[in-house]
């Protein structure tokens, strides 16, 4: 049963956009996928929670986190088979773990935590909060962006993840990300 949260083996480079809401992760994911003529894995939680909001007028609850994790890994494993040399992930289970702990008083389901820590990626791009906030039905804490950024950064440090912080505008972030990915590809 737990297998649905696990990454399938692959030889491609996997990178994750990681950070607080409304910090340009999806925009950069799309740009990087275009640049590398590859695919990107969207954030499954957005679709799942938008449907929940539209149908029930409810936001995320702890019981939603495992279905979100399952949907995220299903998408990632499916799209990894279609990727060229690089798979761009708009999020990962470690990000779901961060939100679980931040929103639900420090708790995280043990199954989610196991796979959030066990799944691996070549590089994380930590997105800084220096881009304008864009409101939507799901985003809810514009005043806590810096606090959330710090939480995301501490998580990457705590679990010894390879990461680069991205700051600045779209072009600057894209150039920094491409240089980092190219370096990984050269070293393979």
């Amino acid at each position: 049963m737990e297998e649905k949260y696990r990454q399938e083996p692959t030889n491609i480079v996997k990178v994750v956009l990681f950070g607080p809401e409304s910090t340009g992760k999806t925009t950069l994911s799309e740009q990087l996928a275009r640049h590398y003529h590859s695919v990107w894995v969207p954030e499954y939680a957005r679709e799942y929670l938008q449907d929940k909001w539209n149908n029930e007028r409810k936001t995320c609850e702890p019981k939603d986190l495992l279905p979100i994790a399952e949907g995220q890994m299903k998408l990632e494993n499916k799209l990894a088979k279609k990727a060229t040399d690089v798979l761009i992930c708009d999020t990962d289970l470690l990000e779901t773990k961060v939100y679980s702990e931040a929103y639900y008083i420090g708790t995280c389901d043990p199954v989610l935590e196991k796979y959030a820590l066990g799944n691996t990626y070549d590089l994380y791009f930590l997105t800084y909060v220096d881009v304008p906030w864009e409101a939507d039905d799901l985003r809810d804490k514009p005043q806590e962006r810096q606090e959330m950024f710090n939480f995301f950064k501490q998580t990457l440090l705590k679990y010894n993840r390879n990461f680069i912080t991205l700051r600045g505008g779209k072009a600057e972030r894209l150039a920094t990300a491409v240089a980092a990915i190219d370096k990984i590809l050269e070293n393979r």
Side-chain angles (χ1 to χ4, degrees), residues 47-110:
E47 177 186 339
Y48 179 96
L49 294 173
Q50 188 66 58
D51 286 346
K52 182 174 180 159
W53 177 255
N54 292 346
N55 294 321
E56 304 172 41
R57 286 293 186 240
K58 289 184 178 178
T59 58
C60 190
E61 301 169 274
K63 69 179 183 176
D64 296 317
L65 296 174
L66 284 178
I68 287 170
E70 179 181 348
Q72 190 64 45
M73 290 315 303
K74 185 176 181 180
L75 266 176
E76 181 180 316
N77 288 329
K78 175 184 171 186
L79 291 171
K81 294 172 183 152
K82 296 180 179 182
T84 55
D85 295 329
V86 181
L87 181 67
I88 311 300
C89 301
D90 191 346
T91 190
D92 75 336
L93 299 191
L94 189 58
E95 181 148 336
T96 307
K97 175 179 165 33
V98 168
Y99 277 109
S100 176
E101 293 169 350
Y103 279 66
Y104 307 115
I105 314 167
T107 62
C108 182
D109 182 285

Side-chain angles (χ1 to χ4, degrees), residues 3 18-19 23 29-30 33 36 45 54 57 63 67 92-94 104-105 109 129 140 142 154 158 168 182:
E3 294 299 311
F18 193 78
T23 56
S29 293
E30 292 170 338
Y36 289 102
N54 292 346
R57 286 293 186 240
K63 69 179 183 176
D92 75 336
L93 299 191
L94 189 58
Y104 307 115
I105 314 167
D109 182 285
V129 296
D140 63 349
Q154 288 308 309
K158 178 179 180 179
D182 285 351

Side-chain angles (χ1 to χ4, degrees), residues 28-40 86 88:
L28 185 55
S29 293
E30 292 170 338
Q31 291 175 315
L32 287 168
R34 273 193 308 274
H35 179 84
Y36 289 102
H37 308 287
S38 192
V39 295
W40 65 283
V86 181
I88 311 300

